[in-house]
């Protein structure tokens, strides 16, 4: 049986530390620019409407979702879901977040290949992600290497999906900033703030992928140790 406490836990600790730092940076950056309001005094949902309309997108609805920083674009139902703290806010942070979600809507409208592909594989990845840890833990108790390796393969699928997500998120932010600039929604100084918010958010995705990679390396080391 594999031991639960071993030197490879350093990978877990480092991964958790990186994730914590990225999350703290995001929270700090968002909080800072949540207190700085746009000179046009335009709300995040109004910005979203303007970006969508100027891109000829009229089949995407805009609504609210509970929570903070729970903003997302739901491609299956063509809906831009802005968190309660974002929807009516005129802050640079809220506008940056809303425009980023518009970036995903623009990707969907243009049939951006990585986004389209992710939509198809998301159900598979969801199952793989939920099953990987239970399978790995069960294999540890039962001492079944084949089962352990299946768990590693499922975990690897999760990592690949997170890596696929990175260009999607960076591209959505790029589209967001271009829209804010081209449509004169924010001025040059405000754009800098919006970029900082979106860059900090992107780093949380990078940190998550790196943490998953470290965890995967740990599982591989455990698997090799077991064979020895």
């Amino acid at each position: 049986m594999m031991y639960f406490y071993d030197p490879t836990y350093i990978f877990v600790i480092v991964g958790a530390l990186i994730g914590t730092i990225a999350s703290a940076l995001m929270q700090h950056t968002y909080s800072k620019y949540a207190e700085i309001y746009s000179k046009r005094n335009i709300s995040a949902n109004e910005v979203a409407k303007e970006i969508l309309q100027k891109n000829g997108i009229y089949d995407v609805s805009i609504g609210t979702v509970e929570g903070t920083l729970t903003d997302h674009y739901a491609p299956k139902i063509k809906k831009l879901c802005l968190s309660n703290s974002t929807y009516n806010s005129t802050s640079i942070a809220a506008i940056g977040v809303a425009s980023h979600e518009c970036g995903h809507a623009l990707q969907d409208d243009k049939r951006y290949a990585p986004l389209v592909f992710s939509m198809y594989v998301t159900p598979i990845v969801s199952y793989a992600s939920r099953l990987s840890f239970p399978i790995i833990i069960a294999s540890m108790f039962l001492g079944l290497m084949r089962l352990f390796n299946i768990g590693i393969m499922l975990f690897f699928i999760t990592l690949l999906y997170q890596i696929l997500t990175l260009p999607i998120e960076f591209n959505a932010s790029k589209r967001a900033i271009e829209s804010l600039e081209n449509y004169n929604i924010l001025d040059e100084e405000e754009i800098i703030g919006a970029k900082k918010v979106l860059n900090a958010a992107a780093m949380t995705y990078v940190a998550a992928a790196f943490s998953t990679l470290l965890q995967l390396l740990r599982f591989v080391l455990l698997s090799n140790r077991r064979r020895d």
Side-chain angles (χ1 to χ4, degrees):
M1 180 183 295
M2 299 175 188
Y3 295 102
F4 287 98
Y5 297 97
D6 57 72
T8 63
Y9 264 110
I10 187 64
F11 290 100
V12 179
I13 295 172
V14 172
L17 181 61
I18 291 174
T20 300
I21 292 173
S23 179
L25 176 62
M26 172 59 194
Q27 290 291 340
H28 172 75
T29 307
Y30 182 86
S31 297
K32 176 182 178 179
Y33 288 98
E35 298 298 325
I36 301 177
Y37 303 98
S38 67
K39 295 173 184 176
R40 282 184 58 187
N41 195 36
I42 185 172
S43 67
N45 75 84
E46 291 173 327
V47 168
K49 291 176 185 177
E50 184 172 344
I51 292 176
L52 293 178
Q53 289 176 359
K54 287 190 174 181
N55 280 277
I57 300 175
Y58 299 98
D59 60 344
V60 172
S61 62
I62 303 174
T64 58
V65 61
E66 294 296 325
T68 301
L69 292 178
T70 52
D71 312 81
H72 64 279
Y73 172 64
K76 289 186 177 180
I77 59 174
K78 300 284 187 180
K79 185 174 183 179
L80 213 66
C81 303
L82 302 180
S83 63
N84 292 330
S85 60
T86 296
Y87 192 83
N88 286 316
S89 175
T90 62
S91 73
I92 301 302
I95 290 174
V97 169
S99 61
H100 173 85
E101 300 310 328
C102 284
H104 287 307
L106 296 179
Q107 290 173 337
D108 188 21
D109 182 64
K110 301 298 182 182
R111 305 305 291 169
Y112 179 63
L115 178 67
V116 174
F117 180 72
S118 72
M119 290 166 57
Y120 284 113
V121 302
T122 293
I124 298 173
V125 175
S126 180
Y127 281 116
S129 179
R130 286 201 299 265
L131 291 174
S132 59
F133 268 109
I135 288 176
I136 288 173
I137 292 173
S139 70
M140 288 179 174
F141 280 108
L142 299 173
L144 299 175
M145 277 305 302
R146 288 186 179 179
L147 189 62
F148 186 75
N149 290 334
I150 290 173
I152 291 178
M153 290 176 62
L154 293 175
F155 202 76
F156 181 63
I157 292 174
T158 302
L159 174 61
L160 289 179
Y161 182 78
Q162 288 179 320
I163 293 174
L164 169 65
T165 298
L166 297 180
I168 296 175
E169 295 301 324
F170 280 109
N171 181 265
S173 290
K174 180 175 180 292
R175 293 171 187 264
I177 295 301
E178 288 176 348
S179 294
L180 294 176
E181 290 177 331
N182 294 338
Y183 306 138
N184 297 315
I185 296 173
L186 298 180
D187 65 22
E188 186 175 345
E189 183 180 356
E190 293 171 326
I191 288 290
I192 293 174
K195 284 182 178 179
K196 289 182 178 180
V197 171
L198 296 184
N199 287 339
M203 286 303 103
T204 62
Y205 287 95
V206 174
F210 190 68
S211 296
T212 301
L213 173 61
L214 290 176
Q215 183 68 275
L216 179 63
L217 290 176
R218 174 175 179 263
F219 290 148
V220 171
L221 288 174
L222 290 174
S223 178
N224 291 335
R225 180 193 300 177
R226 183 63 176 173
R227 289 194 186 96
D228 296 338

